[in-house]
Amino acid sequence: MTAVLYRLVYMSRNDITDEIDTQIDGILKTSRENNRLAEVTGALMFNTGCFAQVLEGPHNAIQATFERIQCDERHSDVTVLLFEPSNKRSFSSWAMAYVGAQESALERFGNLGDESGFEFTALDGDDIYNVLLDNLHDAEAQ
Amino acid sequence: MIDSVPQLEALATGIAIINGDNVIVHANTAFARRLNVDALPYRLTDIDLPEARSRDLLEWQLRDIGESALTVAIAPGRSLTFYIGAQREGQRLIIAASGWPHRDESTRDLAAQLDPLTGFGNRLMYAERLREFEAMGTKAAAVLIIDLDHFKQVNDTLGHGTGDELLGLVAQRIRASTRGNDTLIRLGGDEFVVLIPEEKHCEGLEALAGRLVNLLGRPFLVNGHQINIGASIGVATLVGDSDQLQDLLRHADLALYEAKHRGRAGHYVFQSPLEQRAFDRREFEVDLRRALGLRQFTLHYQPQTSIADRRVTGFEALIRWEHPTRGRVSPLDFIPLAEEIGEIAAIGRWVIRCACEEAMAWQDERLSVAVNVSPAQFADDTIVDAVRDALDHSGLAPARLELEITEGLFLEESESIMRRLWAIKELGVAVAIDDFGTGYASLGYLNSFPFSKIKIDKSFIQAEPSPRAKALISGILAMGSNLGMATTAEGIETLEQYTQLEHDGCSLAQGYYIARPMPAGQIADFLERFCPPTARAS
């Protein structure tokens, strides 16, 4: 029996205040390793205000990943927007992208999506992603 | 990965070295083969054991830095014994051998002390740890008791299976936030305990409690459901006294109760009754210091009537403190504190000023207003300024204002006090003696100042009527009239008391029988409807 695929979408407040470059690099690196082992794919979107993450994979792998992320002090106010079985993966790997308009961050993280293989097309045609993007733009710190 | 020491390689017995984090740093082939360890570094507690319980046991056993042994099942019908060496310079030797089944009391005891659901210890382990602490004479320790909010709803709506899994995740989060030498206990149900075997500053404990509350308040994902619960935490510490070890859990429990009482999803640190009193007093003090600024004081007015003329002559202003959470606080409780912390001057100044302003609104310009003044207000000249400012500011005729002081002011003879009294007198303000007969002061002071009134304490008025009590009252009344001072009977509650005082020649009456204190807004109405007591009775 193949494990049922689940999809989790959540948002949280970005509590990183300094050395954001290094921290983001670290998150990208460890997430990639962990998620590869756990058969978890998905995407992390962030800006200076918040994180939004989509995780796809077997239930227990999602649960374990989520628990690990929950214990991370770099974010707070975690809100789950969606957690349900899903019939296909929207993301074939694990990637992250900066989604924001702030100039300074755009300079630093603008290319992150390309580097990490972020598939913006995966976000097309699904209401939850539109909501997510709207929320991200709203939460961007001024 | 394999050690190059040939002698060790030849052994059928598994031998490994682990570091302080229980990570295998060296292992011989026999060890790697028996435990399916394919690459180093590898955490010893991550080895594949068929029973989750075995891993818990191993983990607990490794927490103890002394030497021990543990036998676990590695496959149906096959067991393996770990001999765990004592920790030396951060490392320890592990020998894994089969065919030497180890039956150790301590392991059996340990198994009985574990909670199968979470891998935490149970009540037995808590008791055992306390025994160890006592034996070691531990003088510093702390307990956090964590209680989940809304857990019952999870069990009721999603079933016990989901509830149990949730408890497992809760345990994981608690484990992730605590340290290796903390003892983690599941007391039962949805109650967990973190027993910290060392002194930790209160801030550190509060930070930990706050972090746990935050962490456990974040959503959980269980069996396809998103579950939101919360946690309340009670904290208790033991500092410098191992006698109280047994009280730790009870104290933490009391603190937990308080945390829940203050609204869930929070923590509270237990304070001993002594500390609690100091804490309460401090809070009371802060509230009192804010009361003026927050306009929480008001004045109520109790009528004073002339017995002979059967009319209202004035009102005594009585301070009321209405606090949003404490409710109405009695002046008997806050005035002594105000005197102690020096707030009395500001409060007293406000009372005089407010009373003068409100008295200006009264239709009848003959009505006097009496204000209580604490002896503490006579400590410096500001009392004279306060009276002068209140009169200037309000425009009240000085003769309408009367200060009520108590005999306590004259316990010590003081020139400066007399000077201040005379200064007030010179402003045209009357000064009355309040609570007469209760202050243990020498009567000589009556001769030193022309008091306007003697207010006989209510304890004389309300005493059981006896010939001696009557004699006392008529003695005071006679003394007043001989000294040319009016007499006021306070605390009149019955018609009998009133008629007796009328008969004895008392000048003024005050008390519930005439009227209770009332807000300023009711005075006009009261005056309109006023009907003298004797007329009422007849």
Side-chain angles (χ1 to χ4, degrees):
Chain A
M1 188 189 107
T2 45
V4 178
L5 197 66
Y6 269 81
R7 186 162 57 151
L8 167 71
V9 180
Y10 78 84
M11 300 195 59
S12 59
R13 201 177 70 204
N14 185 345
D15 287 343
I16 301 176
T17 48
D18 47 36
E19 294 184 1
I20 187 158
D21 305 54
T22 337
Q23 302 267 14
I24 292 290
D25 282 350
I27 292 175
L28 179 62
K29 189 165 166 288
T30 50
S31 306
R32 271 190 173 158
E33 281 168 18
N34 289 330
N35 294 339
R36 181 174 51 83
L37 290 173
E39 298 171 72
V40 171
T41 57
L44 175 71
M45 288 154 274
F46 71 97
N47 56 35
T48 47
C50 78
F51 289 108
Q53 181 150 9
V54 181
L55 290 176
E56 300 166 329
H59 181 282
N60 288 354
I62 297 276
Q63 184 187 66
T65 306
F66 188 62
E67 282 299 313
R68 199 174 54 242
I69 295 167
Q70 290 284 52
C71 293
D72 197 319
E73 295 199 42
R74 290 175 292 199
H75 70 158
S76 60
D77 295 350
V78 179
T79 310
V80 172
L81 300 179
L82 182 145
F83 180 53
E84 61 182 24
S86 152
N87 44 24
K88 66 168 182 58
R89 290 183 193 259
S90 298
F91 297 90
S92 57
S93 65
W94 196 88
M96 59 197 277
Y98 171 78
V99 180
Q102 213 173 60
E103 283 294 331
S104 55
L106 201 58
E107 261 170 48
R108 262 179 274 164
F109 304 117
N111 293 324
L112 189 63
D114 300 339
E115 284 165 29
S116 66
F118 192 97
E119 304 143 71
F120 268 102
T121 50
L123 300 184
D124 287 346
D126 202 329
D127 285 346
I128 186 75
Y129 295 136
N130 293 332
V131 170
L132 205 58
L133 291 176
D134 287 347
N135 285 345
L136 268 160
H137 289 303
D138 286 352
E140 187 173 24
Q142 295 304 306
Chain B
M1 65 162 278
I2 305 301
D3 257 74
S4 54
V5 181
Q7 289 89 334
L8 293 182
E9 285 313 300
L11 288 177
T13 306
I15 292 179
I17 306 280
I18 60 169
N19 68 14
D21 295 327
N22 299 332
V23 171
I24 304 167
V25 287
H26 295 288
N28 69 359
T29 309
F31 191 95
R33 206 184 54 237
R34 278 179 190 283
L35 293 159
N36 292 323
V37 174
D38 51 9
L40 293 187
Y42 194 97
R43 193 179 296 275
L44 182 59
T45 46
D46 286 344
I47 56 172
D48 198 18
L49 294 173
E51 294 170 20
R53 192 172 181 71
S54 308
R55 204 189 339 267
D56 293 340
L57 280 168
L58 182 59
E59 230 179 282
W60 277 103
Q61 206 75 298
L62 287 165
R63 283 181 183 220
D64 188 344
I65 57 165
E67 57 187 0
S68 60
L70 174 71
T71 301
V72 297
I74 49 166
R78 283 179 57 209
S79 65
L80 189 70
T81 301
F82 289 100
Y83 290 89
I84 304 166
Q87 203 172 73
R88 297 258 185 281
E89 290 166 14
Q91 297 204 321
R92 60 207 305 188
L93 178 69
I94 309 288
I95 300 173
S98 56
W100 293 351
H102 164 79
R103 284 282 170 263
D104 177 26
E105 285 302 311
S106 69
T107 311
R108 248 207 324 268
D109 284 353
L110 184 62
Q113 290 173 20
L114 286 184
D115 168 46
L117 188 61
T118 57
F120 279 19
N122 58 21
R123 279 177 185 277
L124 288 174
M125 180 178 285
Y126 184 82
E128 181 57 33
R129 282 290 186 277
L130 278 202
R131 266 196 294 279
E132 287 170 25
F133 282 10
E134 264 167 349
M136 292 187 298
T138 299
K139 287 195 171 12
V143 157
L144 272 75
I145 180 161
I146 304 162
D147 186 88
L148 303 184
D149 302 326
H150 317 303
F151 178 72
K152 193 178 171 297
Q153 281 155 263
V154 176
N155 260 348
D156 289 351
T157 56
L158 300 174
H160 287 269
T162 301
D164 283 356
E165 245 189 86
L166 175 63
L167 290 174
L169 294 179
V170 165
Q172 268 183 37
R173 289 193 189 176
I174 295 173
R175 196 189 301 262
S177 309
T178 49
R179 292 197 299 189
N181 57 349
D182 297 340
T183 301
L184 306 176
I185 303 285
R186 177 170 169 237
L187 280 185
D190 57 351
E191 257 190 349
F192 297 87
V193 160
V194 179
L195 174 61
I196 299 168
E198 64 200 288
E199 184 169 356
K200 219 173 171 161
H201 286 295
C202 214
E203 296 88 65
L205 287 170
E206 292 214 45
L208 174 60
R211 170 145 180 70
L212 282 166
V213 167
N214 176 304
L215 208 50
L216 297 176
R218 297 182 179 190
F220 289 87
L221 307 175
V222 187
N223 287 342
H225 304 286
Q226 173 194 342
I227 299 176
N228 285 71
I229 51 166
S232 301
I233 300 185
V235 184
T237 55
L238 172 81
V239 179
D241 192 359
S242 60
D243 292 354
Q244 287 171 7
L245 266 170
Q246 298 296 339
D247 295 331
L248 260 182
L249 198 58
R250 194 172 53 82
H251 288 168
D253 219 15
L254 287 170
L256 173 66
Y257 181 80
E258 185 63 31
K260 291 207 171 231
H261 180 70
R262 287 171 180 238
R264 285 154 194 267
H267 68 272
Y268 188 79
V269 181
F270 173 81
Q271 283 154 329
S272 72
L274 209 65
E275 288 166 334
Q276 187 65 52
R277 262 205 298 280
F279 180 78
D280 289 348
R281 202 200 108 108
R282 211 197 76 83
E283 287 214 318
F284 190 42
E285 198 181 306
V286 169
D287 285 349
L288 183 56
R289 287 185 195 278
R290 291 177 181 169
L292 255 190
L294 293 175
R295 298 174 169 272
Q296 289 168 345
F297 291 123
T298 52
L299 295 182
H300 281 209
Y301 295 88
Q302 189 171 34
Q304 298 174 323
T305 60
S306 159
I307 294 177
D309 299 349
R310 300 180 166 208
R311 68 170 187 93
V312 180
T313 57
F315 293 86
E316 178 181 356
L318 298 162
I319 191 165
R320 293 283 181 265
W321 179 15
E322 207 68 55
H323 186 270
T325 54
R326 296 175 189 275
R328 179 171 289 184
V329 187
S330 166
L332 293 175
D333 292 329
F334 71 83
I335 293 295
L337 180 63
E339 289 172 344
E340 201 182 319
I341 65 176
E343 270 303 290
I344 194 69
I347 295 173
R349 181 179 284 269
W350 175 84
V351 170
I352 297 172
R353 188 161 169 158
C354 179
C356 289
E357 280 170 10
E358 292 186 334
M360 281 300 283
W362 302 342
Q363 292 296 318
D364 186 343
E365 286 183 5
R366 290 174 302 169
L367 291 172
S368 65
V369 62
V371 173
N372 290 286
V373 178
S374 142
Q377 289 173 260
F378 272 87
D380 56 48
D381 290 330
T382 54
I383 179 68
V384 184
D385 300 335
V387 172
R388 189 187 297 114
D389 291 350
L391 291 171
D392 289 352
H393 191 265
S394 64
L396 186 78
R400 292 179 64 190
L401 178 62
E402 184 173 54
L403 300 191
E404 294 191 1
I405 60 171
T406 56
E407 295 169 285
L409 192 58
F410 305 103
L411 279 176
E412 284 169 48
E413 244 177 79
S414 160
E415 264 183 51
S416 53
I417 286 174
M418 293 315 295
R419 188 164 43 74
R420 286 165 198 144
L421 281 174
W422 279 108
I424 288 166
K425 175 87 186 153
E426 277 156 24
L427 291 172
V429 173
V431 179
I433 288 291
D434 201 6
D435 304 336
F436 181 82
T438 59
Y440 306 104
S442 144
L443 282 180
Y445 73 87
L446 286 176
N447 200 26
S448 61
F449 189 83
F451 295 104
S452 54
K453 261 177 215 157
I454 294 173
K455 297 189 75 179
I456 308 166
D457 189 71
K458 60 174 186 277
S459 58
F460 295 100
I461 309 299
Q462 293 168 359
E464 281 296 309
S466 68
R468 295 173 78 91
K470 282 183 184 174
L472 250 171
I473 293 174
S474 54
I476 297 170
L477 293 174
M479 187 179 69
S481 93
N482 289 333
L483 287 168
M485 298 175 190
T487 42
T488 305
E490 278 189 290
I492 299 174
E493 289 181 339
T494 65
L495 177 65
E496 289 70 34
Q497 290 165 357
Y498 186 86
T499 45
Q500 183 63 46
L501 287 156
E502 184 178 30
H503 175 263
D504 289 346
C506 181
S507 1
L508 299 152
Q510 183 180 346
Y512 284 5
Y513 183 67
I514 294 128
R516 287 173 176 263
M518 62 193 78
Q522 288 174 18
I523 287 179
D525 191 46
F526 167 78
L527 289 170
E528 213 164 284
R529 293 158 185 258
F530 176 71
C531 167
T534 41
R536 248 187 285 172
S538 53

